[in-house]
Amino acid sequence: MEIRTATMEDLSEITEVEKICFPPAEAASEGDFRKRLEVYPDHFWLLEDNGKIVSFVNGLVTDEEHLADEMYEKAELHDENGAWQMIFGVDTIPEYRGRGCAGSLLSRVIGQAKEQGRRGLVLTCKERLLPYYAKFGFADEGISDSTHGNVRWHEMRLTFEEGTE
């Protein structure tokens, strides 16, 4: 399996994976992904198995400390020099779940954010996933203000210690 960043040629397959992984009210649209790929393709990581996308992680970078719903649709809010790497989605197709795919991607994203001098990463997740993200060092900051998909989301943050590389 190989990790790489996405290109516009991946748009259709990314959109299909998203439809498999999230209900319609929560899934990003092809248009949302198109904007993300136009603005921050280097913050859109894919895991491929023999050329097939089996998992991906994406999100913009910002100085905002909290993940706001508007960030999902407004790719122009990306600031390459921002302090926080936001994580919008961690998608893995069902037949590849439980194999460490998402974990491999998250480890890559965390490492890259650290190398780039970010303060850390922020994501939102459903309550059942709190223990999963805690394994990577994310801390639950409580219920998010997000109303995305009419779901109750927890905001989680991984903060790097100053002076780490």
Side-chain angles (χ1 to χ4, degrees):
M1 289 204 246
E2 176 190 353
I3 296 175
R4 67 174 176 86
T5 53
T7 68
M8 199 58 76
E9 288 73 38
D10 300 309
L11 180 62
S12 293
E13 194 173 357
I14 288 166
T15 303
E16 287 307 309
V17 169
E18 179 85 347
K19 286 179 186 175
I20 292 168
C21 294
F22 286 96
E26 297 171 36
S29 70
E30 182 172 305
D32 291 333
F33 285 134
R34 178 180 304 280
K35 287 185 233 170
R36 294 174 193 179
L37 289 170
E38 287 170 350
V39 177
Y40 50 90
D42 291 341
H43 298 274
F44 207 121
W45 302 267
L46 308 177
L47 180 66
E48 288 183 321
D49 187 12
N50 294 316
K52 175 183 178 178
I53 299 170
V54 298
S55 188
F56 69 82
V57 172
N58 74 107
L60 60 71
V61 176
T62 179
D63 277 331
E64 297 296 320
E65 292 196 5
H66 300 284
L67 200 163
D69 285 349
E70 70 176 343
M71 292 177 183
Y72 293 107
E73 297 173 0
K74 294 184 177 178
E76 64 272 15
L77 295 174
H78 174 75
D79 174 1
E80 187 59 38
N81 299 311
W84 297 99
Q85 173 68 60
M86 298 293 164
I87 301 294
F88 292 162
V90 178
D91 296 47
T92 302
I93 60 174
E95 57 268 33
Y96 281 80
R97 292 180 187 158
R99 297 189 194 181
C101 295
S104 294
L105 279 170
L106 282 169
S107 293
R108 170 73 60 91
V109 175
I110 291 165
Q112 186 173 322
K114 194 177 279 193
E115 288 170 11
Q116 293 171 341
R118 312 276 180 225
R119 288 187 58 204
L121 298 92
V122 178
L123 59 81
T124 58
C125 70
K126 295 171 183 163
E127 188 166 357
R128 66 181 170 77
L129 291 170
L130 293 172
Y132 177 76
Y133 292 111
K135 291 190 304 189
F136 294 92
F138 286 86
D140 182 14
E141 295 187 328
I143 302 300
S144 164
D145 291 336
S146 176
T147 59
H148 181 74
N150 296 314
V151 174
R152 187 170 151 164
W153 300 98
H154 285 255
E155 185 166 81
M156 298 193 79
R157 181 178 312 273
L158 172 58
T159 304
F160 301 137
E161 293 179 31
E162 288 198 38
T164 60
E165 294 180 11

